[in-house]
Amino acid sequence: MTIEVGKQAPDFTLLNQNEEKVSLSQFKGKNIILYFYPKDMTPGCTTQACDFRDNFKQFSDSDTVIIGVSPDPVERHQKFIAKHDLPFTLLADEDHEVAELYGVWKLKKMFGREYYGIERSTFIIDKEGILQKEYRKVRVKNHVEESLQYVKEHLS
């Protein structure tokens, strides 16, 4: 299955920070910000998560839930949420199955070393489960505000 704007977003089930199974389909009837990020507690990922936290009420007012996905285990998500008071769900994609499904598990290079990891990406899904917008190779600065603007203008 390929992910495509205007088509049904692929459903999946992963464990959240409370070790509960969470499926994308259980949020039908709400808009969804589904964002993939490389690693809890790193500077860029912390900034992004805190930006979502700081705009959480505005997303909620637009009937939008925020779901973060990374390959980190549940325990690390628990620490990340506690440390930064994050009010939204984080899902553990330890085998990167969902990241691969959404096409964000990529070969990356850093300091001459190649490795596989998450390409920071955000998918905006409407109340019917249709992918409306995708942001790939996301730069953290101003990204959350841009996502919120899209939701307000197109999905409210």
Side-chain angles (χ1 to χ4, degrees), residues 56-104:
F56 182 77
K57 182 171 181 352
Q58 288 183 274
F59 279 108
S60 293
D61 289 349
S62 296
D63 210 15
T64 303
V65 297
I66 299 167
I67 303 168
V69 180
S70 85
D72 291 305
V74 168
E75 301 76 32
R76 192 156 171 97
H77 284 336
Q78 291 168 344
K79 290 176 185 166
F80 193 42
I81 287 169
K83 183 172 183 176
H84 298 288
D85 197 26
L86 303 178
F88 49 85
T89 298
L90 295 181
L91 300 178
D93 187 21
E94 290 186 74
D95 61 7
H96 45 82
E97 203 173 290
V98 175
E100 289 182 40
L101 181 64
Y102 276 77
V104 301

Short mmCIF file of all heavy atoms in Angstrom, two decimals, residues 56-104:
data_model
loop_
_atom_site.label_atom_id
_atom_site.label_comp_id
_atom_site.label_asym_id
_atom_site.label_seq_id
_atom_site.Cartn_x
_atom_site.Cartn_y
_atom_site.Cartn_z
N PHE A 56 -1.22 22.83 21.59
CA PHE A 56 -2.16 21.72 21.78
C PHE A 56 -3.61 22.19 21.86
O PHE A 56 -4.50 21.62 21.23
CB PHE A 56 -1.77 20.93 23.03
CG PHE A 56 -2.64 19.74 23.28
CD1 PHE A 56 -2.47 18.58 22.53
CD2 PHE A 56 -3.62 19.76 24.25
CE1 PHE A 56 -3.28 17.46 22.75
CE2 PHE A 56 -4.43 18.66 24.48
CZ PHE A 56 -4.25 17.51 23.73
N LYS A 57 -3.86 23.25 22.62
CA LYS A 57 -5.23 23.74 22.79
C LYS A 57 -5.81 24.21 21.45
O LYS A 57 -6.97 23.92 21.13
CB LYS A 57 -5.30 24.86 23.81
CG LYS A 57 -6.74 25.35 24.02
CD LYS A 57 -6.90 26.30 25.16
CE LYS A 57 -8.30 26.79 25.39
NZ LYS A 57 -9.34 26.47 24.45
N GLN A 58 -5.00 24.89 20.65
CA GLN A 58 -5.50 25.37 19.34
C GLN A 58 -5.83 24.20 18.42
O GLN A 58 -6.81 24.23 17.70
CB GLN A 58 -4.48 26.30 18.70
CG GLN A 58 -4.40 27.65 19.39
CD GLN A 58 -3.43 28.54 18.67
OE1 GLN A 58 -2.24 28.51 18.93
NE2 GLN A 58 -3.95 29.34 17.73
N PHE A 59 -4.99 23.15 18.46
CA PHE A 59 -5.31 21.96 17.66
C PHE A 59 -6.60 21.32 18.19
O PHE A 59 -7.48 20.95 17.41
CB PHE A 59 -4.16 20.95 17.70
CG PHE A 59 -3.04 21.26 16.75
CD1 PHE A 59 -1.83 21.72 17.21
CD2 PHE A 59 -3.19 21.08 15.37
CE1 PHE A 59 -0.78 22.01 16.34
CE2 PHE A 59 -2.15 21.35 14.49
CZ PHE A 59 -0.95 21.83 14.97
N SER A 60 -6.71 21.20 19.51
CA SER A 60 -7.92 20.60 20.11
C SER A 60 -9.16 21.39 19.74
O SER A 60 -10.21 20.82 19.43
CB SER A 60 -7.79 20.54 21.63
OG SER A 60 -6.79 19.64 22.00
N ASP A 61 -9.04 22.73 19.76
CA ASP A 61 -10.17 23.59 19.39
C ASP A 61 -10.58 23.39 17.94
O ASP A 61 -11.72 23.68 17.57
CB ASP A 61 -9.82 25.07 19.63
CG ASP A 61 -9.74 25.41 21.12
OD1 ASP A 61 -10.16 24.58 21.97
OD2 ASP A 61 -9.22 26.51 21.43
N SER A 62 -9.67 22.89 17.11
CA SER A 62 -9.96 22.58 15.71
C SER A 62 -10.30 21.10 15.52
O SER A 62 -10.21 20.57 14.40
CB SER A 62 -8.77 22.96 14.82
OG SER A 62 -8.56 24.34 14.85
N ASP A 63 -10.65 20.44 16.64
CA ASP A 63 -11.06 19.03 16.61
C ASP A 63 -9.97 18.13 16.02
O ASP A 63 -10.24 17.27 15.19
CB ASP A 63 -12.37 18.89 15.84
CG ASP A 63 -13.21 17.72 16.35
OD1 ASP A 63 -12.92 17.21 17.45
OD2 ASP A 63 -14.14 17.29 15.63
N THR A 64 -8.72 18.39 16.43
CA THR A 64 -7.56 17.69 15.88
C THR A 64 -6.75 17.05 17.00
O THR A 64 -6.42 17.71 17.99
CB THR A 64 -6.67 18.68 15.10
OG1 THR A 64 -7.47 19.29 14.07
CG2 THR A 64 -5.48 17.99 14.48
N VAL A 65 -6.44 15.76 16.83
CA VAL A 65 -5.58 15.06 17.77
C VAL A 65 -4.16 15.02 17.21
O VAL A 65 -3.97 15.04 15.99
CB VAL A 65 -6.07 13.62 18.07
CG1 VAL A 65 -7.42 13.64 18.74
CG2 VAL A 65 -6.10 12.77 16.82
N ILE A 66 -3.20 14.97 18.10
CA ILE A 66 -1.79 14.91 17.72
C ILE A 66 -1.25 13.55 18.15
O ILE A 66 -1.44 13.13 19.30
CB ILE A 66 -0.99 16.03 18.41
CG1 ILE A 66 -1.52 17.39 17.99
CG2 ILE A 66 0.50 15.90 18.10
CD1 ILE A 66 -1.03 18.55 18.84
N ILE A 67 -0.59 12.87 17.22
CA ILE A 67 0.00 11.57 17.50
C ILE A 67 1.44 11.59 16.98
O ILE A 67 1.68 11.81 15.80
CB ILE A 67 -0.77 10.43 16.80
CG1 ILE A 67 -2.24 10.44 17.21
CG2 ILE A 67 -0.11 9.08 17.09
CD1 ILE A 67 -3.12 9.54 16.36
N GLY A 68 2.38 11.37 17.89
CA GLY A 68 3.78 11.29 17.51
C GLY A 68 4.22 9.84 17.43
O GLY A 68 3.79 9.00 18.23
N VAL A 69 5.07 9.53 16.44
CA VAL A 69 5.56 8.16 16.25
C VAL A 69 7.08 8.19 16.10
O VAL A 69 7.60 8.98 15.30
CB VAL A 69 4.95 7.50 14.99
CG1 VAL A 69 5.46 6.07 14.81
CG2 VAL A 69 3.43 7.53 15.02
N SER A 70 7.76 7.35 16.87
CA SER A 70 9.21 7.18 16.70
C SER A 70 9.56 5.72 17.01
O SER A 70 8.75 4.99 17.56
CB SER A 70 9.98 8.12 17.61
OG SER A 70 10.16 7.56 18.89
N PRO A 71 10.78 5.32 16.67
CA PRO A 71 11.19 3.94 16.96
C PRO A 71 11.55 3.71 18.43
O PRO A 71 11.93 2.61 18.80
CB PRO A 71 12.41 3.71 16.07
CG PRO A 71 12.68 4.97 15.35
CD PRO A 71 11.73 6.01 15.82
N ASP A 72 11.43 4.75 19.26
CA ASP A 72 11.77 4.60 20.68
C ASP A 72 10.80 3.65 21.39
O ASP A 72 9.63 3.59 21.03
CB ASP A 72 11.72 5.96 21.39
CG ASP A 72 12.83 6.88 20.95
OD1 ASP A 72 14.00 6.46 21.05
OD2 ASP A 72 12.54 8.01 20.52
N PRO A 73 11.29 2.94 22.42
CA PRO A 73 10.40 2.07 23.19
C PRO A 73 9.46 2.86 24.10
O PRO A 73 9.69 4.05 24.37
CB PRO A 73 11.38 1.23 24.02
CG PRO A 73 12.61 2.04 24.13
CD PRO A 73 12.68 2.86 22.87
N VAL A 74 8.41 2.20 24.56
CA VAL A 74 7.39 2.81 25.42
C VAL A 74 8.03 3.52 26.63
O VAL A 74 7.66 4.65 26.95
CB VAL A 74 6.39 1.72 25.89
CG1 VAL A 74 5.51 2.23 27.02
CG2 VAL A 74 5.56 1.23 24.72
N GLU A 75 9.00 2.89 27.27
CA GLU A 75 9.61 3.46 28.48
C GLU A 75 10.25 4.82 28.17
O GLU A 75 10.18 5.74 28.98
CB GLU A 75 10.68 2.53 29.06
CG GLU A 75 10.18 1.16 29.45
CD GLU A 75 9.95 0.21 28.26
OE1 GLU A 75 10.67 0.31 27.23
OE2 GLU A 75 9.01 -0.61 28.34
N ARG A 76 10.89 4.92 27.03
CA ARG A 76 11.53 6.20 26.67
C ARG A 76 10.46 7.26 26.39
O ARG A 76 10.64 8.44 26.75
CB ARG A 76 12.45 6.01 25.47
CG ARG A 76 13.35 7.20 25.22
CD ARG A 76 14.59 6.78 24.44
NE ARG A 76 15.33 7.95 24.03
CZ ARG A 76 16.37 8.45 24.68
NH1 ARG A 76 16.79 7.86 25.79
NH2 ARG A 76 17.00 9.51 24.23
N HIS A 77 9.36 6.87 25.76
CA HIS A 77 8.25 7.81 25.54
C HIS A 77 7.71 8.31 26.89
O HIS A 77 7.40 9.49 27.03
CB HIS A 77 7.11 7.15 24.77
CG HIS A 77 7.34 6.98 23.30
ND1 HIS A 77 8.22 7.75 22.57
CD2 HIS A 77 6.78 6.13 22.41
CE1 HIS A 77 8.19 7.39 21.30
NE2 HIS A 77 7.32 6.39 21.18
N GLN A 78 7.61 7.41 27.86
CA GLN A 78 7.11 7.81 29.18
C GLN A 78 8.00 8.90 29.79
O GLN A 78 7.51 9.89 30.32
CB GLN A 78 7.05 6.60 30.11
CG GLN A 78 5.99 5.60 29.73
CD GLN A 78 6.11 4.27 30.47
OE1 GLN A 78 7.14 3.96 31.07
NE2 GLN A 78 5.05 3.47 30.40
N LYS A 79 9.31 8.72 29.69
CA LYS A 79 10.25 9.71 30.24
C LYS A 79 10.17 11.03 29.48
O LYS A 79 10.21 12.11 30.08
CB LYS A 79 11.68 9.16 30.17
CG LYS A 79 11.91 8.03 31.14
CD LYS A 79 13.31 7.44 30.98
CE LYS A 79 13.45 6.22 31.89
NZ LYS A 79 14.63 5.42 31.55
N PHE A 80 10.05 10.95 28.15
CA PHE A 80 9.97 12.15 27.31
C PHE A 80 8.72 12.96 27.65
O PHE A 80 8.78 14.18 27.82
CB PHE A 80 9.95 11.69 25.84
CG PHE A 80 10.16 12.78 24.81
CD1 PHE A 80 11.10 13.78 24.97
CD2 PHE A 80 9.43 12.76 23.62
CE1 PHE A 80 11.31 14.74 23.98
CE2 PHE A 80 9.62 13.72 22.63
CZ PHE A 80 10.56 14.71 22.82
N ILE A 81 7.59 12.27 27.79
CA ILE A 81 6.32 12.92 28.13
C ILE A 81 6.40 13.56 29.51
O ILE A 81 6.00 14.71 29.70
CB ILE A 81 5.15 11.91 28.05
CG1 ILE A 81 4.85 11.60 26.59
CG2 ILE A 81 3.92 12.43 28.77
CD1 ILE A 81 3.91 10.44 26.37
N ALA A 82 6.95 12.83 30.48
CA ALA A 82 7.05 13.35 31.84
C ALA A 82 7.98 14.56 31.91
O ALA A 82 7.67 15.56 32.56
CB ALA A 82 7.56 12.25 32.78
N LYS A 83 9.11 14.48 31.24
CA LYS A 83 10.09 15.56 31.29
C LYS A 83 9.57 16.85 30.67
O LYS A 83 9.85 17.95 31.15
CB LYS A 83 11.38 15.14 30.59
CG LYS A 83 12.47 16.19 30.66
CD LYS A 83 13.79 15.69 30.14
CE LYS A 83 14.85 16.77 30.32
NZ LYS A 83 16.17 16.32 29.90
N HIS A 84 8.78 16.73 29.59
CA HIS A 84 8.35 17.93 28.85
C HIS A 84 6.84 18.18 28.94
O HIS A 84 6.32 19.04 28.23
CB HIS A 84 8.80 17.83 27.39
CG HIS A 84 10.28 17.78 27.26
ND1 HIS A 84 11.09 18.87 27.49
CD2 HIS A 84 11.12 16.75 26.99
CE1 HIS A 84 12.36 18.53 27.34
NE2 HIS A 84 12.40 17.24 27.04
N ASP A 85 6.15 17.43 29.81
CA ASP A 85 4.72 17.64 30.04
C ASP A 85 3.93 17.61 28.73
O ASP A 85 3.15 18.52 28.44
CB ASP A 85 4.51 18.95 30.80
CG ASP A 85 3.14 19.04 31.44
OD1 ASP A 85 2.56 17.98 31.73
OD2 ASP A 85 2.65 20.17 31.63
N LEU A 86 4.14 16.57 27.94
CA LEU A 86 3.48 16.47 26.64
C LEU A 86 2.07 15.92 26.81
O LEU A 86 1.88 14.85 27.40
CB LEU A 86 4.30 15.55 25.70
CG LEU A 86 5.75 15.97 25.48
CD1 LEU A 86 6.46 14.96 24.58
CD2 LEU A 86 5.85 17.37 24.92
N PRO A 87 1.06 16.62 26.28
CA PRO A 87 -0.34 16.23 26.50
C PRO A 87 -0.92 15.34 25.40
O PRO A 87 -2.13 15.17 25.33
CB PRO A 87 -1.06 17.59 26.50
CG PRO A 87 -0.27 18.40 25.53
CD PRO A 87 1.17 17.96 25.69
N PHE A 88 -0.09 14.77 24.54
CA PHE A 88 -0.61 13.98 23.42
C PHE A 88 0.05 12.60 23.40
O PHE A 88 1.00 12.32 24.13
CB PHE A 88 -0.42 14.71 22.09
CG PHE A 88 0.96 15.26 21.87
CD1 PHE A 88 1.97 14.47 21.34
CD2 PHE A 88 1.25 16.57 22.20
CE1 PHE A 88 3.24 14.96 21.15
CE2 PHE A 88 2.53 17.08 22.00
CZ PHE A 88 3.52 16.27 21.48
N THR A 89 -0.47 11.76 22.54
CA THR A 89 -0.05 10.37 22.43
C THR A 89 1.26 10.23 21.67
O THR A 89 1.44 10.85 20.62
CB THR A 89 -1.15 9.56 21.69
OG1 THR A 89 -2.35 9.62 22.46
CG2 THR A 89 -0.76 8.12 21.48
N LEU A 90 2.16 9.39 22.20
CA LEU A 90 3.36 8.98 21.49
C LEU A 90 3.29 7.47 21.30
O LEU A 90 2.97 6.73 22.24
CB LEU A 90 4.63 9.34 22.27
CG LEU A 90 4.90 10.84 22.46
CD1 LEU A 90 6.20 11.04 23.22
CD2 LEU A 90 4.93 11.58 21.13
N LEU A 91 3.58 7.01 20.09
CA LEU A 91 3.50 5.59 19.77
C LEU A 91 4.90 5.03 19.51
O LEU A 91 5.74 5.69 18.90
CB LEU A 91 2.62 5.38 18.54
CG LEU A 91 1.17 5.86 18.67
CD1 LEU A 91 0.42 5.64 17.37
CD2 LEU A 91 0.47 5.17 19.82
N ALA A 92 5.10 3.80 19.98
CA ALA A 92 6.38 3.11 19.83
C ALA A 92 6.36 2.23 18.59
O ALA A 92 5.63 1.24 18.53
CB ALA A 92 6.66 2.28 21.08
N ASP A 93 7.17 2.59 17.61
CA ASP A 93 7.28 1.85 16.35
C ASP A 93 8.68 1.23 16.29
O ASP A 93 9.48 1.53 15.40
CB ASP A 93 7.03 2.80 15.17
CG ASP A 93 6.96 2.11 13.82
OD1 ASP A 93 6.70 0.88 13.78
OD2 ASP A 93 7.17 2.79 12.80
N GLU A 94 8.96 0.37 17.27
CA GLU A 94 10.32 -0.16 17.45
C GLU A 94 10.82 -0.95 16.25
O GLU A 94 12.01 -0.93 15.95
CB GLU A 94 10.40 -1.02 18.71
CG GLU A 94 10.28 -0.19 19.98
CD GLU A 94 10.49 -1.02 21.22
OE1 GLU A 94 11.66 -1.37 21.50
OE2 GLU A 94 9.49 -1.32 21.91
N ASP A 95 9.93 -1.64 15.54
CA ASP A 95 10.38 -2.41 14.37
C ASP A 95 10.21 -1.60 13.07
O ASP A 95 10.35 -2.13 11.98
CB ASP A 95 9.66 -3.75 14.27
CG ASP A 95 8.15 -3.61 14.14
OD1 ASP A 95 7.66 -2.46 13.98
OD2 ASP A 95 7.45 -4.62 14.19
N HIS A 96 9.91 -0.31 13.22
CA HIS A 96 9.73 0.67 12.13
C HIS A 96 8.79 0.21 11.01
O HIS A 96 8.90 0.65 9.87
CB HIS A 96 11.07 1.17 11.57
CG HIS A 96 12.09 0.11 11.31
ND1 HIS A 96 12.10 -0.64 10.17
CD2 HIS A 96 13.13 -0.32 12.05
CE1 HIS A 96 13.11 -1.49 10.22
NE2 HIS A 96 13.74 -1.33 11.35
N GLU A 97 7.85 -0.65 11.36
CA GLU A 97 6.89 -1.15 10.38
C GLU A 97 5.97 -0.03 9.87
O GLU A 97 5.73 0.08 8.66
CB GLU A 97 6.05 -2.25 11.04
CG GLU A 97 5.43 -3.21 10.07
CD GLU A 97 4.76 -4.37 10.79
OE1 GLU A 97 5.46 -5.21 11.38
OE2 GLU A 97 3.51 -4.41 10.77
N VAL A 98 5.49 0.80 10.78
CA VAL A 98 4.59 1.89 10.39
C VAL A 98 5.38 2.97 9.64
O VAL A 98 4.90 3.52 8.65
CB VAL A 98 3.84 2.46 11.61
CG1 VAL A 98 3.00 3.67 11.22
CG2 VAL A 98 2.96 1.38 12.22
N ALA A 99 6.60 3.24 10.08
CA ALA A 99 7.45 4.21 9.38
C ALA A 99 7.67 3.76 7.93
O ALA A 99 7.64 4.58 7.01
CB ALA A 99 8.78 4.38 10.11
N GLU A 100 7.88 2.47 7.74
CA GLU A 100 8.05 1.95 6.38
C GLU A 100 6.74 2.06 5.60
O GLU A 100 6.75 2.43 4.42
CB GLU A 100 8.54 0.51 6.42
CG GLU A 100 9.98 0.41 6.88
CD GLU A 100 10.52 -1.01 6.88
OE1 GLU A 100 10.21 -1.77 5.94
OE2 GLU A 100 11.26 -1.35 7.82
N LEU A 101 5.61 1.76 6.25
CA LEU A 101 4.30 1.86 5.61
C LEU A 101 4.05 3.28 5.09
O LEU A 101 3.50 3.46 4.01
CB LEU A 101 3.21 1.48 6.63
CG LEU A 101 1.77 1.49 6.18
CD1 LEU A 101 1.52 0.45 5.10
CD2 LEU A 101 0.86 1.22 7.38
N TYR A 102 4.49 4.28 5.86
CA TYR A 102 4.30 5.68 5.48
C TYR A 102 5.48 6.25 4.68
O TYR A 102 5.49 7.44 4.36
CB TYR A 102 4.02 6.53 6.72
CG TYR A 102 2.55 6.48 7.11
CD1 TYR A 102 2.03 5.38 7.77
CD2 TYR A 102 1.69 7.52 6.79
CE1 TYR A 102 0.68 5.31 8.10
CE2 TYR A 102 0.35 7.47 7.12
CZ TYR A 102 -0.15 6.36 7.77
OH TYR A 102 -1.49 6.30 8.09
N GLY A 103 6.46 5.41 4.38
CA GLY A 103 7.57 5.84 3.53
C GLY A 103 8.51 6.83 4.17
O GLY A 103 9.11 7.66 3.47
N VAL A 104 8.66 6.75 5.50
CA VAL A 104 9.54 7.70 6.19
C VAL A 104 10.77 7.03 6.80
O VAL A 104 11.56 7.68 7.46
CB VAL A 104 8.77 8.51 7.28
CG1 VAL A 104 7.62 9.28 6.64
CG2 VAL A 104 8.25 7.62 8.39
#
